[in-house]
Amino acid sequence: MAGGSVSAPQRSKDFGKLEHGCEHYKRRCKIRAPCCNQIFPCRHCHNEAANSVSNPKDHHDLVRQDVKQVICSICNTEQEVAQVCCNCGVNMGEYFCNICKFYDDDTTKEQFHCNDCGICRVGGRDKYFHCQKCGSCYMVDLRDNHLCVENSMKTHCPICYEYLFDSVKSTRILKCGHTMHLDCFSQMTMQNQYRCPICCKAVLDMTAFWEDLDMDIDATSMPAEYQFEVSILCNDCNSKSMVQFHILGLKCRRCNSYNTRRIANQAIICDTH
C-alpha cells in the first residue's frame, strides 16, 4: 500500500458514510492533484485554492480524469483510484465513477455518468437526455421542446462567468436557446431585467406588460414637436420598421414587442411583409 505501513482494522463498507468530505461532496477520501502534487478534499477545493493565488500565471484547474492517487479518510492510506479502500475496506464513495475519478456518499443526487458529455451528472439517468447539438444533458421535458444552440453549454454564464458545462449549479435554458445559471437567471429577473444578456431577446412572456404599455402610450399624447417617425430594430423578431416616436416605448410593427432599439434612418430597410 502507498500510504502506511500498518494495516487498519477491516471496516464495513458503510463505516463513516456521510461523515467526511467538504462543502462540495460527502466522501471518504481525498485526492492528490497530479498537477501540483498537493492533497485536496475534491477538485473544486483544488480549483478554488489554485485560482486564488496572487500570481495569475499559477492559476489552473484540475483535470478530473488525470487523478491517479486518493487518500482514504478513515485510515489515511494513499492508494490508486478505486471505490473500496485497499487497507480498511470502506467504500470511499457510495457513488464511484472510475472514468471521472469521482466519489460521493450522497446518492440522493442520483448521479450518473454521461458518455457523450464525458463527465458525471446528477438528477437521475432516466430524467435526462443528451442533446447532441447543444452538447449537454437536459431534462427529458426539454426533448424536442427547446431551441438548440450548438455547444450552448460549453460556454460561460453571461452573469457570473462561471463555465457552465461542468458547473455544479443548476442551469436554465432561455427561450432563445442560450443558457445561464438558474440562480443568476432568478437574480436577473428580480432586477426587472427581461432580456438575454447575449442576444437581447426577451426571456419571459412579456405580453401582459406590452398590453399595459399600450394603454399607457394611448393615454400619453406627445407634444407636436415629438410627433415624428423613427427607425427601429426589434430584438425579438429581428425586423426593422418605421414607427411613431414615443418616449415610453417604440413598438415593433411585426410582433408588437417593445423590446426594440432605435437605429439610424439610413440603415432602415422597411419590411412590408
Side-chain angles (χ1 to χ4, degrees), residues 125-129 138-144:
R125 187 182 300 276
D126 58 335
K127 299 173 186 174
Y128 284 80
F129 77 101
Y138 293 143
M139 294 191 71
V140 292
D141 58 359
L142 289 172
R143 191 191 300 268
D144 303 321

Side-chain angles (χ1 to χ4, degrees), residues 43 63-65 95 97 99-100 111-122 124-125 128-139 151-155 163-167 171 173:
R43 69 181 183 88
V63 179
R64 69 190 83 191
Q65 292 88 351
Y95 174 83
C97 176
I99 299 173
C100 295
Q111 302 92 331
F112 65 96
H113 181 85
C114 174
N115 289 325
D116 290 315
C117 285
I119 61 175
C120 289
R121 298 291 190 189
V122 297
R125 187 182 300 276
Y128 284 80
F129 77 101
H130 184 87
C131 177
Q132 294 294 341
K133 185 171 183 179
C134 294
S136 187
C137 287
Y138 293 143
M139 294 191 71
N151 291 323
S152 62
M153 287 288 287
K154 294 181 179 179
T155 185
Y163 192 58
L164 290 169
F165 182 71
D166 57 3
S167 173
T171 55
I173 307 175

Side-chain angles (χ1 to χ4, degrees), residues 157-162 164 167-174 179-193 197 203:
C157 174
I159 302 298
C160 70
Y161 212 63
E162 180 183 350
L164 290 169
S167 173
V168 296
K169 302 175 185 175
S170 299
T171 55
R172 169 72 180 256
I173 307 175
L174 308 182
T179 53
M180 67 172 63
H181 287 127
L182 181 59
D183 286 345
C184 292
F185 174 82
S186 298
Q187 293 177 27
M188 183 182 79
T189 54
M190 285 175 61
Q191 296 176 19
N192 297 320
Q193 299 297 319
V203 299

